[in-house]
Structures are given as structure tokens and as C-alpha cells.
Amino acid sequence: MDTADASGMTPETSSHRVWPRFLVIVLCLAGLVITLQFVQGLQTIIGPVFLGLNLVIIAYPLQSWLIKKGVHRFIGAAVTVLVVVVVLLVFMALILWSASELVMALPEYGQQFNEIYNSMITWIGSFGVTPDMMIEQLSGLNMSTVVSTATGIVTALLSNVTAILGLLATVIMAVFFLAMDSVAVDRRMALLNTAKYELGAALTAFAYGVRRYWVVTTLFGLIVAGLDIVALAIIGVPMIWVWGVLSFLTNYIPNIGFIIGMIPPALLGLVEGGWGAFFAVVASYSVLNFVIQSIIQPKFTGDAVGVIPTVSFLSLLFWAWILGPLGAILALPATLLLKAIMIDADPQSRWINSFIASDLKGMESRHQRARTATAAPAQAGGGTGAVDGSDQGTGGVIGGDGAASGQPGDSGDGAAVALGADGRAGARTDAEGPARPVESG
């Protein structure tokens, strides 16, 4: 016996060497870093195109409905593009209007903010909480300068018309071409399901989840914004419509969006009504967002996010770093796309959903249905069948539906005879050929 036989390895198996785990991890991390740098370098292209993909997915039911009503496919796609462009223009108009209102209103409150800041310094110094040096450093900070700086930032954003128009043009062009290509998406998905069923099912679920996420976020964002406007009117905060629009727009930023939308009206309430108005704004925003988004929304729509809050927050930080400000809005859709391709489409990776998926009840019900479906044949007609060998090499497979198992017997030519529930012979299946009918005798 040679060395290869003694070690249990043949020349074939010895030629396929397993790489060291450390080397595999290092190579994977290196590839991940290169990919992230590539995506980050193309964020001005990838971000708008992915936003366009999301808009096409949202508007696709309209296109499908028009086609079912007899409208030509390309006309339906053109109508869809027109609707998406109108919605984009409305959102851009809201953003520009609210930003311009802020630019005009902020300088008027510079003196009041400066007085509030000085009173806070005096109050903190009376307790001796802050060292004298820190007090001196903070005292040198002029709130009028801060307000003017904030106004300058907003003005610079508004004046950068080229970047805004470039982003809008990229999104519109992406929507146009994606909508034109979507006229044959049903046939393409059918071909994909035939070739790669798992991937096709995962992408279909991704499209449904993304559409539901955007619709639910928009509807409940409108509800929250309306209630915020009512609360601000009761408290007496000026510019309630500006803050309502800001609340609606920041609602698309997961986890921390309502905090960003709460800070400006809370500070303005502090100037106009003192600390009572400030804490009233903070309390009303916090209670309304918690009650509506955490208690009421799941009861009507189920889970529209698909991942647990920790993953949602980490995805916000990650995609904002990769794609810039637009990544904060596209964080959850981008995470759901990666989840669909890398986890949902791979049966061997679906166990990761046990840690990151938020729909635990749905997962448990699917697993229960799978176990029930597996146990049902065994209870109905003897399970998958019992194979009994004989001296001629045939096995009798008895199943509830009379289907042959195709398993060979203990010896012979490997043929199996399947007996149905009525006891008659069903089909004869050879190991090397298709099933053939057998005389019932």
C-alpha cells in the first residue's frame, strides 16, 4: 500500500487543496474593501440610478394596470415616467420652499438665540459645573455667528443649482430607461425563475418589500406631519407649515429622521415661548412618532422594514458613508437588495435571517407549514414509502399517492414497484430510466 492509499487520499483529492481559513478571510476582506471604494467613488451615479430603480418599482403597479386596460406597453411606461417626474418635481419644490423660508427666517432670531445662550452660560456657572476656562471658551462663542453660518450653509446648498439639476436629471434618465425596459419584466422574471428559481423568488420579494416600505413610509409620514402641525399650532410655534414639510421629508430617514425634523421647531419654540414650549415640542414629537410608528403602524401594515432596528440603524450609517446624503434615504432599500441576493436567494445562508429579520412570526409560520407538509405524507400513506428488497432485486414502495421512489432494492437491477393506496401496481422505475407502466395483474 503506498502513501496515498495509507493516508486515505487519492491523486484526485490531493490536487484539490483547501486554502487556509486565515487566507480566505483576508482575501474576502480585501475584495470587500476594493468593492466599497469602487461604489463610493461612483456614488454620484449609483445613488441616483438606485433611486430611479426604487421609483420604477413603486410606480410599476400603475404601468401594469394600464397595460391590463389595453394601453400599449410603451405608452404605459411613458405615463409611468411622467407620473414619477411630477412626483419628483413636487418633492424638489417642497425642499426648495422650506429651505428658502428657513433662510429668510433665521436671521430674525439671531439676537434671541444669543440671549438664551448667555443665560444658559450664567445658569451653568452658578452651579460650578463647568470650569472657568471652559466658561471663557464658550463665552467667546457668538450665537449670531452660528445662525449666520447655518444660513450660509443653506444658501450655499440652494445656490448649487448645477448639482441639484444634475442629480435630478440623472434620476429622471434612470427612471426613463428602467421604465422602458420594464415592459418585458414579467417574461424576464419567468425566465429567471426557470433558470434560478431561488434568485427570482428573492428579487420578487425584494420588489414587493421595497414598494411596501416606500408606500407605508409616505402614508404614515403624512399622518405624522399633519399631527405635528396641529401640535405646533397648539404650542404656538411659528412657521408650522415649514416644520410640517420638514417633518414629512425627514421621515424618509430611518431611525433618526424625526430627531432631525424636531430640532428646528424646538429651538424656535424656545425663542418664542421659553423652555416650556421647547419641552412641549420635544415631548409631542417623541410621543407622536413612537405611538404612530411603533404601535399603530405595525397593526395596520405589518412589518414594512424587513430588518431589526439595530440593522436598520447600522445600514443608515453605512450607506450614508458609501453613497453620501442620498444613502441615508436609500439605506433600507439597499440593505434589502443585498439581503435578497446574498441571503434569501441562498438556502444555505437563510439561517442569517434568524438574527437580522424582523418578521419572526412569518418565519415561524413558514417553518411550521414546511414541517406540516413534510409530516403529512407520512401520516396519510406510510410516508415516503418503505423499500423492501428481495432476492430478485425489486423493492415494493408503498406511498399515499402511488408514486415510485426509484430506489433500488438490496440486489438485482435496482427496479422498484410502487403500490398506490388502492393496492394496485402503479409504475416501475429503473435506476437508469424513466418510469414505465406495469401490468396490474
Side-chain angles (χ1 to χ4, degrees), residues 307-311 349-358 360 363:
V307 293
I308 59 178
T310 302
V311 176
S349 301
R350 288 178 188 164
W351 59 270
I352 302 178
N353 282 328
S354 303
F355 299 97
I356 66 173
S358 56
L360 291 180
M363 294 176 61

Side-chain angles (χ1 to χ4, degrees), residues 9-21:
M9 296 179 60
T10 63
E12 285 185 14
T13 58
S14 61
S15 62
H16 300 284
R17 297 182 180 276
V18 179
W19 289 14
R21 185 183 299 272

Side-chain angles (χ1 to χ4, degrees), residues 4 88 98 116 130 136 323 343 352 358 370 415:
L88 279 176
S98 59
I116 293 173
T130 307
E136 293 177 1
L323 298 179
I343 298 176
I352 302 178
S358 56

Side-chain angles (χ1 to χ4, degrees), residues 28-389:
C28 291
L29 290 177
L32 179 62
V33 170
I34 294 174
T35 303
L36 293 180
Q37 289 181 346
F38 175 78
V39 174
Q40 195 173 31
L42 296 177
Q43 62 177 230
T44 56
I45 299 176
I46 295 178
V49 170
F50 187 65
L51 177 59
L53 174 63
N54 281 261
L55 295 175
V56 171
I57 291 175
I58 297 170
Y60 182 75
L62 172 63
Q63 178 180 341
S64 179
W65 179 79
L66 291 174
I67 294 174
K68 290 180 180 178
K69 293 297 181 180
V71 179
H72 193 273
R73 290 180 176 271
F74 288 100
I75 297 178
V79 172
T80 302
V81 172
L82 181 61
V83 171
V84 171
V85 170
V86 170
V87 172
L88 279 176
L89 292 178
V90 170
F91 271 83
M92 293 299 299
L94 289 175
I95 294 173
L96 294 176
W97 174 76
S98 59
S100 62
E101 290 291 325
L102 286 176
V103 169
M104 292 185 293
L106 281 177
E108 300 177 3
Y109 297 96
Q111 184 63 31
Q112 290 91 328
F113 279 117
N114 199 27
E115 293 175 358
I116 293 173
Y117 172 76
N118 291 329
S119 63
M120 288 180 61
I121 291 295
T122 304
W123 179 74
I124 294 175
S126 64
F127 290 96
V129 176
T130 307
D132 294 338
M133 184 177 296
M134 185 65 67
I135 293 293
E136 293 177 1
Q137 292 179 356
L138 292 177
S139 298
L141 180 63
N142 191 346
M143 287 303 294
S144 299
T145 306
V146 176
V147 172
S148 62
T149 303
T151 305
I153 293 174
V154 177
T155 305
L157 292 176
L158 290 176
S159 61
N160 196 1
V161 180
T162 304
I164 296 176
L165 292 180
L167 173 64
L168 186 61
T170 305
V171 173
I172 292 175
M173 294 300 294
V175 168
F176 175 77
F177 288 111
L178 289 170
M180 291 296 119
D181 291 336
S182 66
V183 296
V185 68
D186 294 334
R187 297 168 61 186
R188 296 182 185 278
M189 291 304 298
L191 292 173
L192 180 60
N193 287 331
T194 302
K196 297 287 185 181
Y197 172 76
E198 299 288 348
L199 180 59
L203 292 179
T204 302
F206 159 75
Y208 172 76
V210 164
R211 187 182 302 117
R212 184 178 62 167
Y213 165 74
W214 286 114
V215 172
V216 168
T217 303
T218 301
L219 292 178
F220 280 88
L222 289 172
I223 295 173
V224 172
L227 294 177
D228 288 339
I229 290 175
V230 173
L232 294 176
I234 295 174
I235 297 171
V237 178
M239 303 171 59
I240 58 174
W241 295 107
V242 175
W243 309 132
V245 171
L246 182 63
S247 174
F248 171 69
L249 295 176
T250 55
N251 185 69
Y252 289 102
I253 302 176
N255 300 108
I256 62 173
F258 90 94
I259 299 177
I260 299 175
M262 176 184 66
I263 293 176
L267 293 177
L268 198 58
L270 176 63
V271 172
E272 292 290 334
W275 288 102
F278 174 83
F279 288 112
V281 172
V282 173
S284 61
Y285 266 66
S286 301
V287 171
L288 287 174
N289 279 271
F290 175 76
V291 171
I292 292 177
Q293 295 184 353
S294 300
I295 299 177
I296 299 178
Q297 177 176 327
K299 292 184 179 297
F300 285 92
T301 61
D303 179 65
V305 177
V307 293
I308 59 178
T310 302
V311 176
S312 175
F313 177 70
L314 293 177
S315 68
L316 169 66
L317 300 178
F318 176 77
W319 290 111
W321 171 60
I322 294 296
L323 298 179
L326 194 59
I329 301 175
L330 299 174
L332 283 175
T335 302
L336 293 179
L337 178 60
L338 289 183
K339 178 175 174 290
I341 296 176
M342 302 179 64
I343 298 176
D344 297 338
D346 186 4
Q348 296 182 351
S349 301
R350 288 178 188 164
W351 59 270
I352 302 178
N353 282 328
S354 303
F355 299 97
I356 66 173
S358 56
D359 188 16
L360 291 180
K361 292 184 178 179
M363 294 176 61
E364 291 171 351
S365 62
R366 286 191 294 269
H367 290 170
Q368 183 63 32
R369 287 196 301 268
R371 287 194 297 265
T372 303
T374 304
Q379 297 175 357
T384 56
V387 181
D388 296 326

